[in-house]
Amino acid sequence: DMHHAIVPGLRHQAVRYDQLIILALGLGLVAVSKPAGTTTEVILERLEAQLRAAEQSEHVTCVSRLDLQTSGVLVAALGPEYSSAAQLAMAQFAGRIVAKEYVCLCVGEPLGGADTRGAITLPLQVVQMARDRRKVIASATGKEACTSYQAVATYSSFPAGEVGYETAAGHMLSLLLVRLHNGRKPPIRVNLAS
């Protein structure tokens, strides 16, 4: 559990501050719900402004990031980068002591039935698309990225018995629990698409 690994006794309580949901607030750390389509930087700016308005903190330090398209729990330190909470949290994320697990809803041919486990390993490379845009692709010259998964369930968008599995494969949904095993950015979509 990410929260207990960083600070034992963290208060687990959803508090809404002007549409920003604070999931837990503890000794020097805060966990916030980050919606998809919003950058980590925007969330941290809003969090800092809202905590300042509530007279709870004057500075928020980024200790972990989530991609623009990813929703999830974003952990930040309360206080400056040199604070002990920020240093400890950054060291734990850098040392991979904190594990991130992603819940992914995928469209396409299932990787297996419920409780199927596996790993996808591909070399990934970051390619510059435009001046300020990059894309990650599978490439023999890239760095190895490993993503492990566990299938939770599969769902068909067709009523049972109406269409066979072979013709409906593109319309199957799979719910997966996914873990990254190295820091390639962002391997989940690229690995699962392979």
Side-chain angles (χ1 to χ4, degrees):
D1 182 15
M2 173 172 57
H3 305 299
H4 295 295
I6 296 174
V7 178
L10 193 60
R11 248 183 20 238
H12 297 275
Q13 171 182 343
V15 179
R16 190 178 280 271
Y17 286 108
D18 193 50
Q19 300 303 312
L20 186 63
I21 300 172
I22 296 177
L23 302 169
L25 188 60
L27 303 172
L29 292 177
V30 60
V32 181
S33 178
K34 180 202 160 302
T38 307
T39 66
T40 293
E41 291 75 18
V42 167
I43 293 296
L44 294 177
E45 287 171 11
R46 286 178 52 203
L47 174 63
E48 192 169 78
Q50 291 170 3
L51 289 174
R52 191 177 306 120
E55 298 180 3
Q56 291 190 1
S57 180
E58 292 190 17
H59 188 74
V60 175
T61 298
C62 180
V63 298
S64 176
R65 297 185 182 286
L66 292 174
D67 291 342
L68 175 68
Q69 304 91 342
T70 304
S71 62
V73 178
L74 181 64
V75 177
L78 300 174
E81 189 173 329
Y82 56 81
S83 70
S84 58
Q87 291 294 307
L88 178 60
M90 286 189 286
Q92 289 182 347
F93 275 100
R96 303 206 192 284
I97 295 169
V98 177
K100 290 183 181 180
E101 187 168 74
Y102 298 83
V103 179
C104 301
L105 185 61
C106 306
V107 177
E109 188 172 335
L111 295 171
D115 212 34
T116 299
R117 296 169 191 264
I120 301 167
T121 302
L122 282 176
L124 300 181
Q125 181 177 15
V126 178
V127 178
Q128 194 74 33
M129 300 299 289
R131 193 174 61 212
D132 60 343
R133 290 194 41 179
R134 289 182 252 160
K135 181 178 181 179
V136 177
I137 61 168
S139 168
T141 60
K143 295 182 180 179
E144 187 173 285
C146 181
T147 301
S148 65
Y149 64 88
Q150 176 185 349
V152 176
T154 58
Y155 308 92
S156 173
S157 59
F158 295 105
E162 196 172 295
V163 177
Y165 170 77
E166 293 77 23
T167 58
H171 299 280
M172 295 290 292
L173 300 175
S174 298
L175 186 63
L176 305 176
L177 296 177
V178 176
R179 283 198 172 195
L180 308 178
H181 296 286
N182 43 16
R184 310 292 173 245
K185 181 185 175 200
I188 294 174
R189 287 178 197 84
V190 177
N191 278 353
L192 292 177
S194 72

